[in-house]
Amino acid sequence: MKNSKRYLLIGLGMILIAIVFIAYALGHPEASFPWSNNITYIIYMTYLVLVIYFVSK
């Protein structure tokens, strides 16, 4: 029970970080990553899978 609550808090924290990141990105469209979009999409998908894992655990 204790670990599941910890995983939920980690997942919710990750969702909060994602919301802050999206808000920043929408306000600064001139910023970009120094690598290709494929790497960025892989990072985003990995992050999404981890969020789903932590929230559903």
Side-chain angles (χ1 to χ4, degrees):
M1 183 74 165
K2 189 175 184 179
N3 280 338
S4 63
K5 186 175 181 181
R6 182 179 302 163
Y7 286 141
L8 179 62
L9 289 176
I10 291 171
L12 293 176
M14 290 177 74
I15 291 172
L16 180 66
I17 290 169
I19 291 170
V20 170
F21 174 78
I22 290 169
Y24 179 81
L26 289 174
H28 297 85
E30 72 281 356
S32 65
F33 294 114
W35 50 73
S36 71
N37 282 341
N38 289 335
I39 295 172
T40 303
Y41 297 149
I42 291 170
I43 292 170
Y44 289 165
M45 286 299 130
T46 305
Y47 194 87
L48 180 63
V49 167
L50 286 172
V51 167
I52 292 170
Y53 171 77
F54 282 121
V55 171
S56 66
K57 183 93 174 153

